[in-house]
Amino acid sequence: MQKHTDIQTRPATSEDAATLAKLIDIAGEGIPNWLWTKQCSAGQSPLEIGTERAKRPEGGFSYSNAVIAERDGNPLGMVLSYGIDAAPEDDPDDLPAPIAPFVELEKQSVETWYINALAVFPGHRGSGTGTQLLTGAEQLAKQNGYKAVSIQVYGQNDGAVRLYQRLGYELHNKAPVREHPCQPYYTGDVLLLIKQI
């Protein structure tokens, strides 16, 4: 796919919540949808739960932490990022298996600007959108006084790992994927990659 130079980025708003929910599920390889399904009441869809969460002005998965990439007003992807100043208090062993390794590694991301999620819709990948969003997140990190950026990825997600390494992210640590029902095709490790900026 050809790279496009007409990609614009902007801070997300609460009106982007449904788009953010779709993209966070892509970034989370289906784990968010699985978690939202457990929170649904009668007649609610998992996407509605995700949309409600994205509309909140606070919390990790909030529109206030997201930047949208778009072309001609059409969303292409997003990055969700924020600073981590204290380790999460959760014990990974008390959490649902899909997210346990991520929380374990997040405890090692203190004092970094944490890229919680990066996703580009199918059909727009390979256009430079992901790189542009990552570069923007690094600029936000600098503006907020952080000297390092962290990101997590399944080790078997070769394309994402190559992108991050090409952009200067280096392996800091890893945690084993735990067996769970919503993601049977990734095994091995979740990687924590960090870039000094």
Side-chain angles (χ1 to χ4, degrees), residues 139-162:
Q139 291 170 350
L140 280 175
K142 289 177 182 175
Q143 289 169 12
N144 284 279
Y146 289 85
K147 296 181 179 176
V149 179
S150 61
I151 194 166
Q152 297 180 29
V153 62
Y154 285 109
Q156 291 180 331
N157 188 343
D158 296 330
V161 172
R162 279 196 304 272

Side-chain angles (χ1 to χ4, degrees), residues 78-132:
M78 69 93 191
V79 63
L80 183 75
S81 65
Y82 46 84
I84 295 183
D85 298 316
E89 296 180 5
D90 302 302
D91 182 342
D93 292 332
D94 295 335
L95 298 171
I99 62 172
F102 293 95
V103 173
E104 182 180 335
L105 292 171
E106 191 176 332
K107 290 177 181 285
Q108 301 171 44
S109 303
V110 177
E111 296 183 358
T112 71
W113 188 261
Y114 178 54
I115 297 176
N116 179 298
L118 172 73
V120 176
F121 282 121
H124 299 292
R125 295 171 187 164
S127 65
T129 302
T131 299
Q132 188 167 330

Side-chain angles (χ1 to χ4, degrees), residues 155-192:
Q156 291 180 331
N157 188 343
D158 296 330
V161 172
R162 279 196 304 272
L163 170 64
Y164 303 148
Q165 290 178 333
R166 178 172 58 81
L167 294 175
Y169 289 80
E170 298 179 350
L171 179 63
H172 180 75
N173 209 338
K174 54 190 176 181
V177 174
R178 301 192 187 190
E179 187 175 342
H180 58 82
C182 59
Q183 193 62 18
Y185 41 90
Y186 279 128
T187 56
D189 296 311
V190 175
L191 311 181
L192 171 61

